Amino acid sequence: MIRLLTIIGARPQIIKAAALSRTIRQSFSNEIKEIIVHTGQHYDYNMSEVFIKELDIPQPDYNLQLGSGRHGSQTASMISGIEELLIKEQPDWCVMYGDTNSTLAAAIAAAKIHIPIIHIEAGLRSFDKTMSEELNRIACDHFSTLLFAPTHTAINNLQNEGFKLNTKAPYTINNPCIFHSGDIMYDNTLFFLDIAKKNSKIIENLELINTPYCLCTIHRDHNTDNINNLKSIFKTLLEVSKEISMTFVLPIHPRTKNTIKQYFTEKEYESLMNDKYLKIIDPVSFLDMSTLESQAEIIITDSGGVQKEAYFFKKPCVILRNTTEWVEILEQKAGVLVGANSEKIRNGILHFIGNKDIEYPEIFGNGTTAQYICNTIVQLHEKKEKSD
Ligand code: UD1
Ligand code: UDP
């Protein structure tokens, strides 16, 4: 039996882990045993548990419950907690997703005690090292043994950093292997499409039946921790939604809500929360989010995952950032980078509303990434057993 120890922590990782975990249980339960460790980086019910329940992920075997904190102290306590569990469980592989502090902590903990790393969503780069996610993903990739890259661009990025294609097994941290796997988030979008259609009542609950709307999310530190940026974004959303008389739905990340509470005057806060067109709601479940994405006119976001899901649902995306790792979306002209600049945000929204001329070829794989990853792991073990 191959033992994988999977690290989750932040919302998008819990969602991504659902795909691999489901595939292991459905098709590889005789070959792979998964141990799930939740760092507790996200802990509100609607940032964590709702996904475990709704996406049918087994309850984590361990929850370190480490919560929020400054980068250094949060990452340090995660390294310590994960290291202890890795020593206790002695997995064959430590699996990690994306680029959060939970990912970095897992990479440091595992690499230092020689437990090989599988990095899912490897090779992504924004080329902006002021983003903590960029630091996390560079470190994690360079500590990994198996790197599952979702796109051709991600493969090229890794090659440009010295990774070689077509290396020969046995793979190690010194002889890593990169695979073009497609994007694991697409597996979930396809798998939960009909389930969401059947079960989500979000459109009814928000009284949006037959009502066009835009969907927004904001949580990047470049936007939330820079009060001028945050005010510029909200002011523009308020103005444009009014100008075009269209509802904008914004499920708000707790980080963003906290900043607004802290830095907006009471009057600004009240008028924001009770606006006629900008509907700010609590974070929603994955089925509700997929439903909102699938029926939106356009999507306005600084999220990595939501940019991709916009593309999966063939929705244009106004990206509230100055860089993106998902450059294919820009190349297809299905997205535009606008940062926090009011004029660019407004122009982006007006450009995309009603624009039906965009094409969305399959650039993120075909929704079988988890199957590909499990097959690869099993085949490597069979090869290794034969050669031992
Ligand atoms: C983290 C990731 C980011 C990812 C995002 C997904 C890092 C450095 N950043 O950002 O890459 O895109 O998750 O959502 O790992 N909070 C709550 N309740 C929660 C979680 C967070 O109130 O359940 C608040 C706390 O005030 C906390 C703040 O949000 O300090 C930020 O949380 P944190 O996990 O540090 O970073 P995110 O902005 O969520
Ligand atoms: N998401 C969700 N509910 C929300 C907002 C986002 O289920 O209220 C999902 C979204 O569909 C996507 C993932 O969370 O699958 C993206 O996570 P997030 O935006 O927090 O992080 P990022 O992808 O930027 O790291």
Side-chain angles (χ1 to χ4, degrees):
M1 200 59 137
I2 305 162
R3 286 160 56 77
L4 302 186
L5 188 142
T6 298
I7 302 291
I8 56 174
R11 170 169 67 188
Q13 296 168 324
I14 303 170
I15 294 169
K16 288 164 201 169
L20 195 76
S21 192
R22 181 173 65 245
T23 305
I24 292 172
R25 275 172 291 132
Q26 284 178 354
S27 313
F28 293 87
S29 59
N30 291 332
E31 291 106 333
I32 301 178
K33 175 173 167 47
E34 188 184 32
I35 302 150
I36 300 179
V37 176
H38 192 327
T39 62
Q41 178 170 351
H42 286 174
Y43 44 86
D44 291 347
Y45 179 83
N46 56 18
M47 295 294 288
S48 171
E49 186 65 21
V50 67
F51 303 107
I52 293 174
K53 289 214 162 85
E54 190 180 64
L55 307 186
D56 200 19
I57 306 169
Q59 276 300 326
D61 298 272
Y62 300 95
N63 190 329
L64 296 170
Q65 297 187 324
L66 294 168
S68 307
R70 290 198 311 270
H71 285 282
S73 54
Q74 185 186 50
T75 310
S77 46
M78 288 178 188
I79 295 172
S80 170
I82 293 169
E83 182 186 54
E84 214 167 287
L85 293 175
L86 287 171
I87 291 169
K88 179 175 170 210
E89 291 289 347
Q90 292 295 322
D92 296 297
W93 298 96
C94 185
V95 179
M96 56 207 71
Y97 295 89
D99 52 23
T100 71
N101 286 351
S102 297
T103 317
L104 176 65
I108 295 172
K112 293 261 185 179
I113 57 172
H114 312 303
I115 292 179
I117 293 170
I118 295 176
H119 188 202
I120 300 177
E121 237 186 31
L124 298 170
R125 298 291 181 266
S126 65
F127 302 100
D128 175 7
K129 288 183 189 158
T130 66
M131 271 184 91
S132 61
E133 290 83 355
E134 184 80 348
L135 304 177
N136 294 348
R137 53 173 92 103
I138 291 174
C140 182
D141 281 340
H142 286 264
F143 293 169
S144 293
T145 293
L146 304 184
L147 295 93
F148 289 98
T151 57
H152 286 296
T153 309
I155 300 263
N156 289 339
N157 291 339
L158 291 170
Q159 282 185 277
N160 290 339
E161 288 175 19
F163 284 89
K164 295 195 174 59
L165 282 181
N166 306 320
T167 49
K168 298 270 174 290
Y171 302 121
T172 64
I173 191 169
N174 290 324
N175 180 39
C177 188
I178 53 183
F179 301 89
H180 182 202
S181 61
D183 196 298
I184 199 154
M185 290 185 70
Y186 194 34
D187 292 25
N188 277 333
T189 294
L190 294 182
F191 184 84
F192 288 108
L193 197 62
D194 288 337
I195 302 175
K197 266 188 205 150
K198 233 188 262 163
N199 294 331
S200 172
K201 298 278 172 282
I202 190 82
I203 301 292
E204 289 88 326
N205 292 346
L206 294 176
E207 299 176 358
L208 287 173
I209 297 173
N210 298 326
T211 307
Y213 64 88
C214 299
L215 176 67
C216 325
T217 76
I218 306 161
H219 76 272
R220 285 283 147 212
D221 56 4
H222 278 215
N223 289 327
T224 58
D225 295 2
N226 178 325
I227 196 61
N228 293 331
N229 284 352
L230 197 63
K231 285 198 172 179
S232 165
I233 292 170
F234 274 106
K235 184 171 160 285
T236 313
L237 295 179
L238 287 168
E239 284 170 0
V240 180
S241 58
K242 190 169 171 197
E243 178 185 339
I244 60 176
S245 306
M246 190 179 285
T247 300
F248 283 22
V249 180
L250 194 158
I252 195 160
H253 191 290
R255 177 186 199 123
T256 315
K257 190 167 187 178
N258 290 344
T259 315
I260 291 173
K261 272 195 187 145
Q262 201 179 342
Y263 291 106
F264 284 38
T265 64
E266 214 171 294
K267 198 167 153 235
E268 281 172 336
Y269 182 80
E270 284 312 313
S271 68
L272 195 58
M273 292 298 161
N274 298 303
D275 189 70
K276 182 171 171 206
Y277 292 106
L278 181 61
K279 277 187 198 248
I280 298 184
I281 58 173
D282 284 336
V284 296
S285 76
F286 183 75
L287 297 186
D288 285 347
M289 189 65 183
S290 300
T291 304
L292 283 171
E293 289 169 340
S294 68
Q295 297 187 35
E297 294 297 304
I298 66 165
I299 296 180
I300 303 159
T301 190
D302 60 9
S303 157
V306 177
Q307 281 175 57
K308 273 184 291 173
E309 287 167 349
Y311 191 91
F312 301 158
F313 286 116
K314 303 186 173 22
K315 302 295 174 184
C317 190
V318 175
I319 304 165
L320 302 167
R321 288 180 48 188
N322 296 315
T323 57
T324 180
E325 302 75 35
W326 307 107
V327 289
E328 296 79 1
I329 297 177
L330 304 181
E331 285 158 11
Q332 286 304 318
K333 302 202 180 337
V336 59
L337 294 173
V338 296
N341 179 291
S342 184
E343 198 183 331
K344 287 187 183 171
I345 300 172
R346 180 175 176 278
N347 290 343
I349 296 171
L350 297 182
H351 168 70
F352 279 138
I353 291 277
N355 186 337
K356 304 281 179 221
D357 293 338
I358 304 160
E359 287 182 21
Y360 296 85
E362 256 184 9
I363 46 186
F364 292 106
N366 60 8
T368 57
T369 294
Q371 183 80 26
Y372 175 83
I373 293 171
C374 289
N375 269 330
T376 306
I377 296 169
V378 169
Q379 281 167 16
L380 283 177
H381 271 258
E382 284 170 356
K383 239 194 212 168
K384 184 170 175 286
E385 272 176 4
K386 268 191 206 148
S387 72
D388 278 351

